Amino acid sequence: MEAIAVDPDLYARDSAYSPDDWQSETTSIGSSIYRGLIDNGRRYQSLSDKEYLIPSDEQQFETYEAGHLVDLILDSDRENPLFRSPIGADREKVLQILDIGTGKGTWAIDVADMFPNATVRGVDLFPPPVTWMPPNCVIEVDDILEEWTWREKFDLIHMRNMLGSFDQREWDRVYQQCFDKMAPGGWIEQVEAGPFVSSDDGSLPADSNLAHWGPLMEVCGARAGRPCDIVMTMGDSIKKAGFVDVHEKVYKWPLGPWPRDQKFKEAGMVNIQHWMSGIEGWCMWLLTKYGEPEPWTKDQVHVFCAKMRTELKNPHYHTYHKTRRVWARKPFPGEVPLEAIKPRSTKSAGGGSSSGSAKVKF
Ligand SMILES: C[S@@+](CC[C@H](N)C(=O)[O-])C[C@H]1O[C@@H](n2cnc3c(N)ncnc32)[C@H](O)[C@@H]1O
Protein backbone atom coordinates (compact mmCIF):
# COMPACT_ATOMS: atom_id res chain seq x y z
CA MET A 1 0.00 0.00 0.00
CA GLU A 2 1.09 3.56 -0.67
CA ALA A 3 2.65 5.42 2.26
CA ILE A 4 0.65 8.39 3.64
CA ALA A 5 2.72 11.59 3.18
CA VAL A 6 3.65 13.41 6.40
CA ASP A 7 2.65 17.09 6.79
CA PRO A 8 5.99 18.98 7.03
CA ASP A 9 4.29 22.09 8.51
CA LEU A 10 2.49 20.33 11.33
CA TYR A 11 4.58 21.67 14.20
CA ALA A 12 5.27 25.09 12.67
CA ARG A 13 1.68 26.15 12.63
CA ASP A 14 -0.38 27.73 15.35
CA SER A 15 -3.51 25.98 14.23
CA ALA A 16 -6.29 23.61 15.22
CA TYR A 17 -3.69 20.89 15.07
CA SER A 18 -1.69 22.25 17.97
CA PRO A 19 -1.03 19.47 20.49
CA ASP A 20 -3.06 21.35 23.12
CA ASP A 21 -6.12 20.75 21.01
CA TRP A 22 -5.81 17.22 19.67
CA GLN A 23 -3.96 15.70 22.58
CA SER A 24 -6.72 16.32 25.12
CA GLU A 25 -8.19 13.13 26.50
CA THR A 26 -11.79 12.09 26.36
CA THR A 27 -13.37 11.25 29.67
CA SER A 28 -16.88 10.25 30.49
CA ILE A 29 -18.84 9.56 33.59
CA GLY A 30 -20.78 6.32 33.42
CA SER A 31 -24.51 6.38 34.09
CA SER A 32 -26.23 3.63 35.99
CA ILE A 33 -29.44 3.54 33.93
CA TYR A 34 -28.67 0.07 32.65
CA ARG A 35 -27.43 -2.49 35.13
CA GLY A 36 -25.00 -4.85 33.42
CA LEU A 37 -22.02 -6.34 35.21
CA ILE A 38 -19.40 -4.08 36.80
CA ASP A 39 -15.82 -5.35 36.62
CA ASN A 40 -12.64 -3.34 37.20
CA GLY A 41 -14.68 -0.16 37.14
CA ARG A 42 -16.28 -0.84 33.75
CA ARG A 43 -19.81 -2.02 32.87
CA TYR A 44 -20.20 -5.19 30.78
CA GLN A 45 -23.27 -6.74 29.17
CA SER A 46 -25.07 -9.41 31.17
CA LEU A 47 -27.55 -10.79 28.62
CA SER A 48 -25.39 -13.71 27.55
CA ASP A 49 -23.58 -16.11 29.88
CA LYS A 50 -20.53 -15.72 27.71
CA GLU A 51 -18.47 -12.75 28.75
CA TYR A 52 -17.92 -10.19 26.00
CA LEU A 53 -14.44 -8.71 26.30
CA ILE A 54 -15.35 -5.05 25.72
CA PRO A 55 -17.48 -2.99 28.14
CA SER A 56 -20.88 -1.59 27.20
CA ASP A 57 -20.68 1.76 28.93
CA GLU A 58 -20.68 5.44 28.05
CA GLN A 59 -16.93 5.59 27.49
CA GLN A 60 -17.09 2.71 25.03
CA PHE A 61 -20.15 4.13 23.26
CA GLU A 62 -18.17 7.34 22.77
CA THR A 63 -15.40 5.22 21.29
CA TYR A 64 -17.84 3.63 18.82
CA GLU A 65 -19.05 7.07 17.70
CA ALA A 66 -15.48 8.16 17.03
CA GLY A 67 -14.72 4.95 15.10
CA HIS A 68 -17.85 5.46 13.00
CA LEU A 69 -16.72 9.00 12.20
CA VAL A 70 -13.27 7.84 11.05
CA ASP A 71 -14.97 5.34 8.74
CA LEU A 72 -17.14 8.13 7.27
CA ILE A 73 -14.20 10.51 6.82
CA LEU A 74 -12.11 7.94 4.96
CA ASP A 75 -14.97 7.26 2.54
CA SER A 76 -16.19 10.88 2.44
CA ASP A 77 -15.52 11.10 -1.30
CA ARG A 78 -18.25 8.53 -1.90
CA GLU A 79 -21.92 9.37 -2.26
CA ASN A 80 -22.68 6.62 0.23
CA PRO A 81 -19.86 6.32 2.78
CA LEU A 82 -21.83 3.84 4.91
CA PHE A 83 -21.38 0.67 2.86
CA ARG A 84 -20.09 -0.52 -0.51
CA SER A 85 -22.49 -3.37 -1.25
CA PRO A 86 -24.28 -2.40 -4.48
CA ILE A 87 -27.80 -2.17 -3.09
CA GLY A 88 -30.02 0.85 -2.68
CA ALA A 89 -29.65 2.37 -6.17
CA ASP A 90 -33.40 1.87 -6.58
CA ARG A 91 -34.61 4.16 -3.77
CA GLU A 92 -38.19 2.83 -4.23
CA LYS A 93 -37.23 -0.74 -3.31
CA VAL A 94 -38.04 -1.71 0.26
CA LEU A 95 -34.82 -3.05 1.78
CA GLN A 96 -34.35 -5.21 4.86
CA ILE A 97 -31.04 -4.43 6.56
CA LEU A 98 -29.47 -5.95 9.68
CA ASP A 99 -26.55 -4.55 11.68
CA ILE A 100 -25.06 -7.24 13.93
CA GLY A 101 -23.35 -5.97 17.12
CA THR A 102 -24.73 -2.51 16.50
CA GLY A 103 -23.07 -0.97 19.60
CA LYS A 104 -24.48 2.52 19.94
CA GLY A 105 -26.54 1.98 16.78
CA THR A 106 -24.98 4.91 14.94
CA TRP A 107 -24.40 3.04 11.67
CA ALA A 108 -27.95 1.60 11.72
CA ILE A 109 -29.45 5.04 12.39
CA ASP A 110 -27.42 6.70 9.62
CA VAL A 111 -28.42 3.99 7.12
CA ALA A 112 -32.08 4.33 8.12
CA ASP A 113 -31.83 8.09 7.53
CA MET A 114 -30.19 7.64 4.14
CA PHE A 115 -32.63 4.94 2.99
CA PRO A 116 -36.10 5.89 4.25
CA ASN A 117 -37.57 2.91 2.38
CA ALA A 118 -35.43 0.45 4.28
CA THR A 119 -36.16 -1.21 7.59
CA VAL A 120 -32.89 -1.27 9.49
CA ARG A 121 -32.49 -3.54 12.50
CA GLY A 122 -29.57 -3.17 14.86
CA VAL A 123 -29.00 -6.03 17.29
CA ASP A 124 -26.73 -6.13 20.32
CA LEU A 125 -26.28 -7.75 23.71
CA PHE A 126 -26.74 -4.37 25.41
CA PRO A 127 -29.39 -1.68 24.82
CA PRO A 128 -27.74 1.45 23.44
CA PRO A 129 -28.47 4.78 25.13
CA VAL A 130 -30.25 6.34 22.18
CA THR A 131 -33.03 8.81 22.80
CA TRP A 132 -34.23 9.28 19.24
CA MET A 133 -34.42 6.92 16.33
CA PRO A 134 -35.78 7.24 12.79
CA PRO A 135 -39.11 5.38 12.48
CA ASN A 136 -37.58 2.84 10.08
CA CYS A 137 -34.83 1.82 12.55
CA VAL A 138 -35.33 -0.82 15.22
CA ILE A 139 -32.80 -1.67 17.90
CA GLU A 140 -33.13 -5.14 19.42
CA VAL A 141 -31.36 -6.72 22.37
CA ASP A 142 -30.42 -10.30 21.56
CA ASP A 143 -27.56 -12.75 21.33
CA ILE A 144 -26.66 -13.31 17.71
CA LEU A 145 -25.25 -16.74 18.56
CA GLU A 146 -28.79 -17.95 19.36
CA GLU A 147 -31.14 -19.22 16.65
CA TRP A 148 -32.35 -16.22 14.62
CA THR A 149 -36.09 -15.66 14.75
CA TRP A 150 -36.45 -12.87 12.17
CA ARG A 151 -38.93 -13.85 9.52
CA GLU A 152 -37.74 -11.48 6.80
CA LYS A 153 -34.85 -12.26 4.45
CA PHE A 154 -32.22 -9.56 4.52
CA ASP A 155 -30.85 -7.60 1.55
CA LEU A 156 -27.80 -6.47 3.54
CA ILE A 157 -26.24 -7.76 6.73
CA HIS A 158 -23.53 -5.54 8.16
CA MET A 159 -20.95 -6.09 10.91
CA ARG A 160 -18.20 -3.79 12.11
CA ASN A 161 -15.50 -4.06 14.73
CA MET A 162 -16.58 -7.45 16.02
CA LEU A 163 -12.96 -8.45 16.59
CA GLY A 164 -12.60 -10.76 19.59
CA SER A 165 -16.35 -11.44 19.86
CA PHE A 166 -16.34 -15.10 18.83
CA ASP A 167 -14.14 -18.13 18.36
CA GLN A 168 -13.82 -19.59 14.85
CA ARG A 169 -16.64 -22.11 15.36
CA GLU A 170 -18.97 -19.31 16.48
CA TRP A 171 -17.89 -17.12 13.58
CA ASP A 172 -18.75 -19.95 11.16
CA ARG A 173 -22.17 -20.21 12.77
CA VAL A 174 -22.73 -16.45 12.47
CA TYR A 175 -21.77 -16.44 8.76
CA GLN A 176 -23.95 -19.50 8.13
CA GLN A 177 -26.97 -17.83 9.75
CA CYS A 178 -26.25 -14.71 7.67
CA PHE A 179 -26.23 -16.84 4.53
CA ASP A 180 -29.41 -18.71 5.44
CA LYS A 181 -31.33 -15.53 6.36
CA MET A 182 -30.16 -13.54 3.34
CA ALA A 183 -32.39 -12.91 0.33
CA PRO A 184 -30.92 -14.34 -2.91
CA GLY A 185 -28.64 -11.66 -4.35
CA GLY A 186 -28.37 -10.01 -0.90
CA TRP A 187 -25.04 -8.78 0.46
CA ILE A 188 -22.95 -9.29 3.57
CA GLU A 189 -20.49 -6.53 4.49
CA GLN A 190 -17.97 -6.53 7.31
CA VAL A 191 -15.37 -3.98 8.42
CA GLU A 192 -12.67 -4.99 10.89
CA ALA A 193 -9.56 -3.34 12.29
CA GLY A 194 -6.21 -5.00 12.74
CA PRO A 195 -4.51 -4.46 16.11
CA PHE A 196 -1.00 -3.89 14.70
CA VAL A 197 0.26 -0.28 14.83
CA SER A 198 3.05 0.67 12.40
CA SER A 199 4.72 3.59 10.65
CA ASP A 200 6.04 3.71 7.09
CA ASP A 201 9.00 5.95 7.90
CA GLY A 202 10.37 4.05 10.90
CA SER A 203 9.25 6.80 13.29
CA LEU A 204 7.61 4.30 15.68
CA PRO A 205 10.29 2.73 17.90
CA ALA A 206 10.19 -1.07 17.91
CA ASP A 207 10.34 -1.05 21.73
CA SER A 208 7.34 1.30 22.15
CA ASN A 209 4.12 0.22 23.83
CA LEU A 210 2.25 1.03 20.63
CA ALA A 211 4.41 -1.41 18.67
CA HIS A 212 3.88 -3.97 21.43
CA TRP A 213 0.09 -3.55 21.45
CA GLY A 214 -0.75 -5.70 18.36
CA PRO A 215 1.34 -8.74 19.36
CA LEU A 216 0.01 -8.48 22.93
CA MET A 217 -3.62 -8.42 21.81
CA GLU A 218 -2.94 -11.30 19.44
CA VAL A 219 -1.40 -13.54 22.13
CA CYS A 220 -3.96 -12.71 24.84
CA GLY A 221 -6.91 -12.95 22.44
CA ALA A 222 -5.79 -16.42 21.33
CA ARG A 223 -5.32 -17.45 24.98
CA ALA A 224 -8.85 -16.25 25.79
CA GLY A 225 -10.30 -18.14 22.81
CA ARG A 226 -11.20 -14.79 21.17
CA PRO A 227 -8.79 -14.57 18.25
CA CYS A 228 -8.06 -10.98 17.24
CA ASP A 229 -7.25 -11.94 13.64
CA ILE A 230 -10.78 -11.77 12.21
CA VAL A 231 -9.49 -9.05 9.87
CA MET A 232 -7.32 -11.75 8.28
CA THR A 233 -9.83 -14.60 8.27
CA MET A 234 -13.20 -13.00 7.48
CA GLY A 235 -12.82 -13.09 3.67
CA ASP A 236 -12.22 -16.84 3.63
CA SER A 237 -14.92 -17.50 6.22
CA ILE A 238 -17.45 -15.52 4.20
CA LYS A 239 -16.56 -17.54 1.08
CA LYS A 240 -16.77 -20.77 3.05
CA ALA A 241 -20.35 -19.90 4.08
CA GLY A 242 -21.27 -19.84 0.35
CA PHE A 243 -21.06 -16.15 -0.55
CA VAL A 244 -19.67 -15.23 -3.97
CA ASP A 245 -18.50 -12.06 -5.71
CA VAL A 246 -16.22 -11.29 -2.75
CA HIS A 247 -14.59 -7.84 -2.72
CA GLU A 248 -12.31 -6.12 -0.29
CA LYS A 249 -10.75 -2.76 0.43
CA VAL A 250 -7.91 -2.10 2.85
CA TYR A 251 -7.67 1.30 4.60
CA LYS A 252 -4.90 2.93 6.58
CA TRP A 253 -6.26 4.64 9.70
CA PRO A 254 -3.71 7.31 10.75
CA LEU A 255 -3.20 8.03 14.44
CA GLY A 256 -2.83 11.79 14.87
CA PRO A 257 -2.90 14.77 12.51
CA TRP A 258 0.51 14.01 10.97
CA PRO A 259 -0.61 13.29 7.37
CA ARG A 260 -0.31 16.06 4.79
CA ASP A 261 -3.51 15.11 3.00
CA GLN A 262 -6.54 16.81 4.61
CA LYS A 263 -8.78 13.74 4.62
CA PHE A 264 -6.16 11.60 6.35
CA LYS A 265 -5.33 14.47 8.71
CA GLU A 266 -8.97 14.72 9.85
CA ALA A 267 -9.28 10.95 10.11
CA GLY A 268 -6.10 10.90 12.22
CA MET A 269 -7.44 13.61 14.55
CA VAL A 270 -10.63 11.66 15.22
CA ASN A 271 -8.88 8.30 15.33
CA ILE A 272 -6.60 9.47 18.10
CA GLN A 273 -9.66 10.33 20.22
CA HIS A 274 -11.08 6.94 19.22
CA TRP A 275 -7.99 5.28 20.71
CA MET A 276 -7.73 7.59 23.73
CA SER A 277 -11.25 6.70 24.85
CA GLY A 278 -11.06 3.10 23.59
CA ILE A 279 -7.83 1.45 24.72
CA GLU A 280 -8.71 0.82 28.35
CA GLY A 281 -11.97 -0.89 27.37
CA TRP A 282 -10.28 -2.85 24.58
CA CYS A 283 -7.69 -4.38 26.89
CA MET A 284 -8.93 -4.36 30.53
CA TRP A 285 -10.85 -7.65 30.44
CA LEU A 286 -8.30 -9.38 28.24
CA LEU A 287 -5.24 -8.37 30.26
CA THR A 288 -6.73 -8.87 33.74
CA LYS A 289 -8.04 -12.34 32.78
CA TYR A 290 -5.59 -13.58 30.14
CA GLY A 291 -2.62 -11.19 30.40
CA GLU A 292 0.88 -12.07 29.24
CA PRO A 293 2.84 -13.70 30.87
CA GLU A 294 0.18 -13.87 33.63
CA PRO A 295 -3.03 -11.94 34.36
CA TRP A 296 -2.34 -8.24 35.02
CA THR A 297 -3.76 -6.19 37.87
CA LYS A 298 -6.17 -3.37 37.13
CA ASP A 299 -3.45 -0.88 38.14
CA GLN A 300 -0.95 -2.44 35.73
CA VAL A 301 -3.50 -2.02 32.95
CA HIS A 302 -4.06 1.62 33.92
CA VAL A 303 -0.32 2.32 33.83
CA PHE A 304 0.02 0.57 30.46
CA CYS A 305 -2.91 2.57 29.03
CA ALA A 306 -1.41 5.82 30.34
CA LYS A 307 1.87 5.01 28.54
CA MET A 308 -0.04 4.17 25.38
CA ARG A 309 -1.88 7.51 25.56
CA THR A 310 1.39 9.37 26.00
CA GLU A 311 2.80 7.66 22.92
CA LEU A 312 -0.37 8.29 20.95
CA LYS A 313 0.14 11.99 21.64
CA ASN A 314 3.75 11.95 20.45
CA PRO A 315 3.62 14.08 17.28
CA HIS A 316 6.83 12.52 15.97
CA TYR A 317 5.31 9.05 15.61
CA HIS A 318 3.68 8.83 12.18
CA THR A 319 1.59 5.83 13.05
CA TYR A 320 -1.43 4.08 11.61
CA HIS A 321 -3.22 0.75 11.77
CA LYS A 322 -5.16 -0.93 9.01
CA THR A 323 -8.76 -1.95 8.54
CA ARG A 324 -10.26 -4.21 5.93
CA ARG A 325 -13.75 -4.03 4.42
CA VAL A 326 -15.13 -7.18 2.79
CA TRP A 327 -18.43 -7.35 0.93
CA ALA A 328 -19.91 -10.38 -0.83
CA ARG A 329 -23.15 -11.59 -2.34
CA LYS A 330 -25.43 -14.56 -1.78
CA PRO A 331 -25.81 -16.29 -5.16
CA PHE A 332 -29.16 -16.49 -6.92
CA PRO A 333 -30.70 -19.99 -7.08
CA GLY A 334 -28.92 -22.05 -9.76
CA GLU A 335 -26.20 -19.45 -10.25
CA VAL A 336 -22.76 -20.79 -11.12
CA PRO A 337 -20.20 -18.67 -9.25
CA LEU A 338 -18.14 -16.54 -11.64
CA GLU A 339 -15.00 -17.69 -9.86
CA ALA A 340 -15.75 -21.24 -11.04
CA ILE A 341 -15.82 -20.36 -14.73
CA LYS A 342 -13.12 -17.70 -15.20
CA PRO A 343 -9.84 -16.74 -13.58
CA ARG A 344 -10.23 -14.31 -10.70
CA SER A 345 -10.07 -10.68 -11.83
CA THR A 346 -8.19 -8.12 -9.79
CA LYS A 347 -10.74 -5.40 -10.65
CA SER A 348 -14.19 -5.11 -9.18
CA ALA A 349 -17.32 -3.15 -9.92
CA GLY A 350 -17.61 -2.06 -6.31
CA GLY A 351 -14.36 -0.07 -6.18
CA GLY A 352 -12.42 -2.65 -4.17
CA SER A 353 -10.37 -5.59 -5.29
CA SER A 354 -11.58 -9.16 -5.40
CA SER A 355 -10.74 -10.69 -2.09
CA GLY A 356 -7.55 -12.63 -2.04
CA SER A 357 -7.02 -11.78 1.67
CA ALA A 358 -3.27 -11.26 1.35
CA LYS A 359 -1.59 -12.98 4.28
CA VAL A 360 0.17 -9.96 5.71
CA LYS A 361 -0.17 -9.13 9.39
CA PHE A 362 -2.42 -6.23 10.25
C1 LIG B 1 -16.74 -3.25 19.32
S1 LIG B 1 -18.45 -3.15 19.31
C2 LIG B 1 -18.79 -2.49 17.71
C3 LIG B 1 -20.07 -1.70 17.66
C4 LIG B 1 -20.50 -1.22 16.28
N1 LIG B 1 -20.61 -2.29 15.33
C5 LIG B 1 -19.57 -0.15 15.77
O1 LIG B 1 -18.85 -0.39 14.80
O2 LIG B 1 -19.58 0.95 16.35
C6 LIG B 1 -18.98 -4.81 19.15
C7 LIG B 1 -20.42 -5.00 19.59
O3 LIG B 1 -20.78 -6.35 19.35
C8 LIG B 1 -21.69 -6.74 20.36
N2 LIG B 1 -21.74 -8.20 20.46
C9 LIG B 1 -20.74 -9.03 20.84
N3 LIG B 1 -21.17 -10.30 20.87
C10 LIG B 1 -22.47 -10.26 20.50
C11 LIG B 1 -23.49 -11.26 20.37
N4 LIG B 1 -23.25 -12.54 20.64
N5 LIG B 1 -24.72 -10.87 19.97
C12 LIG B 1 -24.99 -9.56 19.72
N6 LIG B 1 -24.07 -8.57 19.84
C13 LIG B 1 -22.84 -8.92 20.23
C14 LIG B 1 -21.10 -6.08 21.62
O4 LIG B 1 -22.05 -5.97 22.66
C15 LIG B 1 -20.63 -4.74 21.07
O5 LIG B 1 -21.58 -3.73 21.24
Side-chain angles (χ1 to χ4, degrees), residues 6-15 17-18 257-260 265:
V6 177
D7 179 358
D9 299 329
L10 181 64
Y11 318 122
R13 231 186 269 145
D14 179 21
S15 72
Y17 305 111
S18 98
W258 58 265
R260 189 167 51 198
K265 186 184 286 297

Side-chain angles (χ1 to χ4, degrees), residues 124-357:
D124 205 290
L125 294 169
F126 196 83
V130 279
T131 48
W132 182 87
M133 213 125 41
N136 56 331
C137 186
V138 185
I139 301 287
E140 298 177 32
V141 178
D142 216 335
D143 181 353
I144 209 69
L145 290 174
E146 298 292 321
E147 196 66 37
W148 295 13
T149 51
W150 293 292
R151 284 205 211 101
E152 53 276 89
K153 294 278 185 185
F154 294 103
D155 299 291
L156 172 64
I157 299 180
H158 174 264
M159 287 183 265
R160 186 176 60 187
N161 292 338
M162 299 294 288
L163 169 150
S165 295
F166 310 121
D167 62 27
Q168 192 53 51
R169 196 182 48 82
E170 291 167 337
W171 271 118
D172 288 344
R173 177 172 162 77
V174 169
Y175 291 127
Q176 203 52 59
Q177 294 225 66
C178 289
F179 188 85
D180 294 346
K181 301 291 176 175
M182 187 80 78
W187 289 78
I188 185 169
E189 183 154 345
Q190 184 166 8
V191 184
E192 294 295 336
F196 290 86
V197 178
S198 24
S199 65
D200 288 329
D201 58 1
S203 56
L204 180 68
D207 61 354
S208 58
N209 292 285
L210 278 174
H212 186 48
W213 169 265
L216 183 65
M217 291 298 107
E218 189 180 44
V219 169
C220 300
R223 184 176 293 163
R226 314 295 174 85
C228 292
D229 62 350
I230 178 67
V231 65
M232 304 295 297
T233 56
M234 61 181 172
D236 287 342
S237 300
I238 285 172
K239 272 188 219 163
K240 195 170 111 190
F243 291 95
V244 295
D245 209 357
V246 185
H247 304 275
E248 71 164 37
K249 179 164 172 61
V250 174
Y251 302 77
K252 280 183 178 176
W253 280 38
L255 283 159
W258 58 265
R260 189 167 51 198
D261 175 88
Q262 192 60 26
K263 183 175 80 176
F264 283 116
K265 186 184 286 297
E266 281 173 24
M269 291 271 286
V270 181
N271 197 22
I272 211 149
Q273 297 305 332
H274 176 226
W275 275 62
M276 290 287 195
S277 63
I279 42 177
E280 186 194 299
W282 295 333
C283 72
M284 181 60 87
W285 183 88
L286 211 48
L287 292 179
T288 53
K289 313 282 188 256
Y290 298 93
E292 162 80 359
E294 54 192 27
W296 298 21
T297 65
K298 177 179 151 188
D299 289 345
Q300 282 175 313
V301 176
H302 280 150
V303 170
F304 176 62
C305 290
K307 288 181 182 161
M308 289 272 293
R309 288 194 199 96
T310 304
E311 289 180 1
L312 281 167
K313 288 188 275 188
N314 186 328
H316 302 291
Y317 294 173
H318 305 140
T319 49
Y320 64 86
H321 61 100
K322 288 193 214 158
T323 67
R324 176 178 269 146
R325 180 186 293 271
V326 172
W327 62 106
R329 179 173 58 81
K330 175 170 175 169
F332 293 99
E335 178 184 342
V336 181
L338 214 56
E339 289 88 339
I341 52 175
K342 69 169 203 188
R344 201 185 352 241
S345 149
T346 48
K347 287 216 170 129
S348 82
S353 61
S354 292
S355 175
S357 290

Side-chain angles (χ1 to χ4, degrees), residues 45 47-48 50 52-56 60-61 63-65 67-68 71 99-107 123-126 140-146 158-166 174 191 282:
Q45 69 80 25
L47 177 76
S48 150
K50 189 179 158 182
Y52 174 55
L53 73 168
I54 298 177
S56 294
Q60 222 56 32
F61 289 133
T63 305
Y64 299 157
E65 291 255 37
H68 178 65
D71 239 353
D99 184 29
I100 294 177
T102 199
K104 199 176 174 192
T106 319
W107 184 90
V123 61
D124 205 290
L125 294 169
F126 196 83
E140 298 177 32
V141 178
D142 216 335
D143 181 353
I144 209 69
L145 290 174
E146 298 292 321
H158 174 264
M159 287 183 265
R160 186 176 60 187
N161 292 338
M162 299 294 288
L163 169 150
S165 295
F166 310 121
V174 169
V191 184
W282 295 333

